Amino acid sequence: MPITQQPTFQNPSYADLVDQAVRHRDENRKSGRTRQLALEAFSEERPYIATVVAELHRVNEHISVDERLVSEAVSDYEAIGKQLVQELKWEQDDICVLPQGSSSTRTLIKSPSAEKFDIDAVCKVILNRHEVWDPIAFFDQFKPALANRKAIAKNRCWRIEDLNSRYYVEFTPSVPMKLIPANLLSLDRQLTLTRYSNSALAVVDRQTKKWKPSNPEGMTQWVDDQSKRKLVQIVFREAVAMEKIAGVEPVPDQSVPLSDTLRVAIRLFKRHRDMMVDRGELLPETKPISILIVTLLTQCYEGLADKGKTYQNHIELLSDLVDLMPYMVEIREGMWWVENPTVSGENFAERWNTDSGERKRALDQWCMQLQADLLGILQAEDKATLAERVRRAFGTTSASVPNPPKGLASKAPSSVIFQPATQGLA
């Protein structure tokens, strides 16, 4: 449902977005109070900060996906690529199969429960001779080619299930964006060039029966580019000592060192979200999706880096990121908006505008709880309490709540601290 306000047409830099987010955060009385408590905790002599970092490292290691499972998934989608070449009578050079999503950005994590995880792959069809005027026919030709597999059609991909595995392969047919006439693209706004436009793709959107922009390679490169920018100045020896020395494109190694502060933040935030779902505090169908978390955090991280912001330790950076993240969501022409920074016209918050605000409330609810958990970790009086709070927030403790009602989950707090969006920001 559209939000009533004047349309915003400018596309500010992420440093500008961070400045606006800081202003709107500080205008929010409850959010500002939480921030003040965190600043007071940082200003005190904290004898356990090194322990906090060490505990976060343990969580980061614990949530890494077993490389053997990733290797199995790699073999699966390599086999799928070969099968498509064979069944559709393509030449080997006609297609390129590459990982996308969490596996390619190295932010894939284990679930707290036994549920399967996704290994996403995109099938890029290169040759001009393949028909682009009928995107549905392009998408549907994959079904007979995958007839011997349990392939389920979703809106933009084929989900391939193997009941003997602990993962799904979600396989997205696509073509290079440059092959698609403009009148066949379904866009929420005018398509413009970005710094990663060269790798832009078009994927089939079965709802609109048109092509939609996407850019998994660009997204991977963006996260990688920003992860090289170091915002944390001090990495404690206790934590560093624990770090391990560590066509079809290979899935990147899913182990991430603590010094990779952006990816660690993404992984920990996703884990915290999953723990809330596992405890019945967020609903699976309205929880913040991973691509939205990756985008908001990386935008915020880039903006902070552009402003020259640095932090003494990881917990200080995490605290700032969760404070600002809800306010990085924009409102454009009355709609919630989180734009894909690698290809204009793709709005990762698209479904927020059709659900009566449920997903936006879930994001606010999650951020509020993450703020509280980080503050509780900072204020721990002893190492045992600190370790328990870290493990409660990010570890494996869970409590199931059967059949939560529609909307916020039954155990969610009844109020949200984030005020309505003002000009250009949520």
Side-chain angles (χ1 to χ4, degrees):
M1 168 181 308
I3 298 92
T4 303
Q5 76 158 58
Q6 294 298 313
T8 301
F9 298 104
Q10 64 178 356
N11 186 23
S13 72
Y14 298 136
D16 292 336
L17 276 180
V18 166
D19 284 340
Q20 293 180 66
V22 168
R23 184 169 68 252
H24 295 311
R25 176 199 66 190
D26 293 345
E27 289 170 354
N28 184 323
R29 183 177 59 83
K30 290 183 179 179
S31 183
R33 176 57 181 159
T34 301
R35 179 63 180 160
Q36 183 59 38
L37 289 172
L39 290 174
E40 290 172 2
F42 284 124
S43 67
E44 298 173 4
E45 190 67 30
R46 310 303 297 180
Y48 305 132
I49 284 292
T51 305
V52 174
V53 177
E55 289 291 337
L56 292 179
H57 173 73
R58 290 190 183 99
V59 174
N60 182 48
E61 289 286 287
H62 174 73
I63 64 180
S64 294
V65 173
D66 190 326
E67 288 298 326
R68 290 172 295 182
L69 287 177
V70 178
S71 296
E72 288 177 21
V74 172
S75 297
D76 276 352
Y77 76 63
E78 285 179 344
I80 292 167
K82 292 175 182 176
Q83 182 174 334
L84 291 173
V85 168
Q86 195 171 44
E87 294 294 326
L88 296 175
K89 310 302 181 187
W90 289 342
E91 297 295 330
Q92 189 69 48
D93 292 340
D94 282 5
I95 70 170
C96 177
V97 182
L98 63 154
Q100 66 172 340
S102 298
S103 59
S104 63
T105 58
R106 295 173 61 204
T107 59
L108 186 67
I109 61 170
K110 289 191 295 191
S111 168
S113 64
E115 73 177 65
K116 294 184 178 183
F117 60 89
D118 296 331
I119 295 285
D120 296 334
V122 63
C123 173
K124 181 169 62 176
V125 182
I126 304 296
L127 296 189
N128 289 327
R129 71 167 181 261
H130 292 303
E131 186 60 63
V132 298
W133 290 95
D134 189 346
I136 297 300
F138 172 81
F139 185 91
D140 287 346
Q141 70 180 317
F142 285 75
K143 183 174 183 177
L146 298 171
N148 66 330
R149 297 178 179 272
K150 188 178 179 181
I152 300 172
K154 300 180 72 176
N155 187 41
R156 299 184 189 179
C157 70
W158 289 94
R159 169 172 279 194
I160 300 171
E161 301 184 2
D162 180 348
L163 297 179
N164 296 318
S165 298
R166 289 172 53 191
Y167 55 83
Y168 303 107
V169 172
E170 291 200 334
F171 203 73
T172 304
S174 67
V175 297
M177 179 76 80
K178 61 186 178 183
L179 300 183
I180 306 299
N183 64 320
L184 295 182
L185 282 170
S186 176
L187 299 171
D188 295 311
R189 65 193 292 261
Q190 184 177 359
L191 189 65
T192 56
L193 293 177
T194 73
R195 54 189 156 168
Y196 300 103
S197 291
N198 288 341
S199 56
L201 300 176
V203 301
V204 178
D205 185 82
R206 296 172 69 217
Q207 290 183 348
T208 63
K209 298 183 179 180
K210 287 190 173 185
W211 299 95
K212 282 266 190 177
S214 186
N215 196 347
E217 287 183 274
M219 187 62 102
T220 299
Q221 187 61 55
W222 178 51
V223 172
D224 189 57
D225 288 345
Q226 298 311 313
S227 71
K228 295 172 183 174
R229 307 174 73 179
K230 303 305 180 187
L231 270 62
V232 174
Q233 297 300 298
I234 299 174
V235 179
F236 290 95
R237 291 181 181 178
E238 291 89 337
V240 174
M242 291 186 297
E243 293 184 358
K244 295 179 180 179
I245 299 174
V248 176
E249 298 287 338
V251 171
D253 183 350
Q254 295 303 306
S255 62
V256 173
L258 196 65
S259 55
D260 190 340
T261 49
L262 173 58
R263 287 191 177 95
V264 169
I266 292 170
R267 287 157 61 94
L268 291 176
F269 279 32
K270 287 170 60 177
R271 177 66 172 194
H272 186 275
R273 172 206 61 187
D274 291 349
M275 290 298 296
M276 287 188 66
V277 172
D278 197 52
R279 292 193 297 263
E281 297 167 355
L282 286 176
L283 294 177
E285 57 268 29
T286 57
K287 70 180 183 182
I289 60 175
S290 293
I291 189 60
L292 190 141
I293 294 173
V294 170
T295 302
L296 290 176
L297 281 179
T298 309
Q299 286 178 344
C300 192
Y301 193 94
E302 179 176 343
L304 291 168
D306 286 347
K307 289 170 60 63
K309 182 74 172 177
T310 58
Y311 298 85
Q312 290 300 302
N313 55 70
H314 290 75
I315 196 76
E316 187 179 3
L317 171 61
L318 294 179
S319 178
D320 230 14
L321 288 173
V322 71
D323 265 349
L324 296 175
M325 185 166 58
Y327 302 102
M328 296 293 291
V329 180
E330 297 179 78
I331 293 175
R332 296 188 182 181
E333 301 183 49
M335 297 288 183
W336 301 116
W337 196 282
V338 178
E339 181 156 281
N340 182 341
T342 67
V343 55
S344 65
E346 183 176 21
N347 178 16
F348 291 139
E350 183 178 35
R351 297 175 70 186
W352 289 21
N353 299 301
T354 59
D355 69 354
S356 301
E358 288 185 20
R359 287 176 176 82
K360 177 60 171 65
R361 286 193 294 274
L363 177 83
D364 291 347
Q365 160 59 36
W366 167 55
C367 288
M368 178 175 65
Q369 186 60 55
L370 182 49
Q371 282 178 320
D373 287 342
L374 290 175
L375 184 58
I377 290 166
L378 277 175
Q379 294 176 329
E381 296 298 327
D382 56 70
K383 290 184 178 182
T385 301
L386 184 155
E388 175 56 32
R389 289 178 180 178
V390 169
R391 290 165 189 167
R392 165 74 180 174
F394 300 104
T396 56
T397 307
S398 66
S400 60
V401 177
N403 302 319
K406 183 174 178 60
L408 285 178
S410 58
K411 293 180 66 178
S414 58
S415 63
V416 174
I417 64 172
F418 301 111
Q419 64 184 9
T422 52
Q423 182 70 19
L425 288 171

